[in-house]
Amino acid sequence: MRRLFPVTDLTPADDEGEWSLDHLADAYSYPEQDGPWLRANMVSTLDGAAQHDGRSQPISCESDMRIFGTLRGLADVVVAGAETVRLEGYRPARAREAFAARRAAAGQGPAPAIAVVSGSLDLDFSLPLFVSPLVPTLVLTGNGAPADRIEEARKAGAEVVIAGEGSRVDPARAVRELADRGLKRLLTEGGPRMLGQFVAAGALDELCLTLSPMLTAGDAQRIAGGPSVAVPERFALTSMLEEAGFLFTRYRRI
């Protein structure tokens, strides 16, 4: 990967600007602060599609997945919507030797927890994500969620977190509830509906966006869906990498 946009806190791995996994981890490190920091990681085609045939993998690339793994390696918790968990076939996050020392120094566990957002709890709690994770999976739901589904989640070993009224999960409250459990470095990987809710709530601090040099047409979702915000929120470009026409950008809220 080659550095394209100059940012003072990033240093290429060698004279040709090639990046090692360690350099990527330094480049994408979370800011030092007391409160939570919510980062999103998404990929989009040139014409705005966040998926092809319902999945993000066809518009991704090897380097995008390398950054994907790096962002997971730095996070305390990965937040994902129930639909994304089903479509993308989510599995438990795994411990990676490349990040072991870094995570230990930061007081983190061996791997990030996965937090699934679901008001209805229409989830298959027999999946490995719930019954055999390295770190217990969390389920974020509202106080009106079906009691029998809450019990099923707990029996499977998941930690149920109430973060909203009725069947709705409040995005800002979800961030607070996770932070209260010591999970302050948050990463959301979607889907678009959930990212739109974080945006509308003003809860998103950073967007890591891969721009894929592809055109798909069709009616695929954008990276963020749902109602529009009253006033567009401005983000600042803080870094950009390029490889084979893919742009790996990072924006922070101003």
Side-chain angles (χ1 to χ4, degrees):
M1 237 172 291
R2 298 182 180 276
R3 175 177 167 190
L4 186 66
F5 186 81
V7 180
T8 55
D9 63 342
L10 306 185
T11 305
D14 57 37
D15 291 340
E16 295 185 356
E18 297 298 328
W19 288 65
S20 68
L21 198 59
D22 244 12
H23 278 79
L24 283 176
D26 288 339
Y28 284 94
S29 62
Y30 280 81
E32 294 292 335
Q33 62 174 45
D34 293 331
W37 184 269
L38 176 63
R39 160 186 286 169
N41 181 37
M42 301 293 282
V43 59
S44 170
T45 63
L46 296 176
D47 52 349
Q51 304 163 338
H52 184 63
D53 287 339
R55 299 178 65 241
S56 59
Q57 189 276 332
I59 62 173
S60 182
C61 67
E62 184 177 345
S63 292
D64 183 45
M65 296 309 297
R66 189 171 174 82
I67 290 176
F68 173 93
T70 298
L71 296 181
R72 279 198 165 200
L74 298 173
D76 294 331
V77 60
V78 177
V79 187
E83 185 175 2
T84 296
V85 166
R86 288 190 289 264
L87 289 174
E88 301 283 352
Y90 263 53
R91 297 186 63 82
R94 59 189 178 89
R96 296 182 59 188
E97 183 61 33
F99 298 101
R102 191 180 292 264
R103 292 185 67 86
Q108 296 173 295
I114 304 292
V116 183
V117 178
S118 176
S120 67
L121 300 186
D122 181 17
L123 297 161
D124 183 353
F125 293 115
S126 69
L127 293 175
L129 177 61
F130 300 103
V131 299
S132 58
L134 186 62
V135 180
T137 294
L138 299 99
V139 177
L140 297 164
T141 193
N143 60 15
D148 60 329
R149 300 304 295 158
I150 290 177
E151 183 62 22
E152 283 294 317
R154 287 175 172 156
K155 282 182 179 178
E159 179 182 352
V160 177
V161 179
I162 303 300
E165 302 299 322
S167 62
R168 180 178 177 272
V169 174
D170 178 81
R173 181 173 168 185
V175 170
R176 293 195 302 271
E177 292 288 347
L178 292 171
D180 287 347
R181 288 162 173 78
L183 305 172
K184 296 182 178 181
R185 304 173 186 88
L186 293 92
L187 169 66
T188 178
E189 300 167 349
R193 185 188 309 169
M194 195 180 69
L195 178 56
Q197 291 172 353
F198 280 126
V199 171
L204 186 69
D205 298 297
E206 179 180 336
L207 173 64
C208 298
L209 176 64
T210 296
L211 186 62
S212 172
M214 301 180 189
L215 295 169
T216 64
D219 56 359
Q221 289 181 297
R222 299 163 49 196
I223 66 166
S228 63
V229 297
V231 179
E233 189 168 14
R234 184 71 182 267
F235 279 60
L237 179 65
T238 58
S239 70
M240 183 160 65
L241 306 175
E242 183 275 342
E243 185 176 69
F246 285 83
L247 297 181
F248 308 97
T249 67
R250 187 163 56 109
Y251 292 86
R252 288 187 180 183
R253 182 167 53 185
I254 297 175

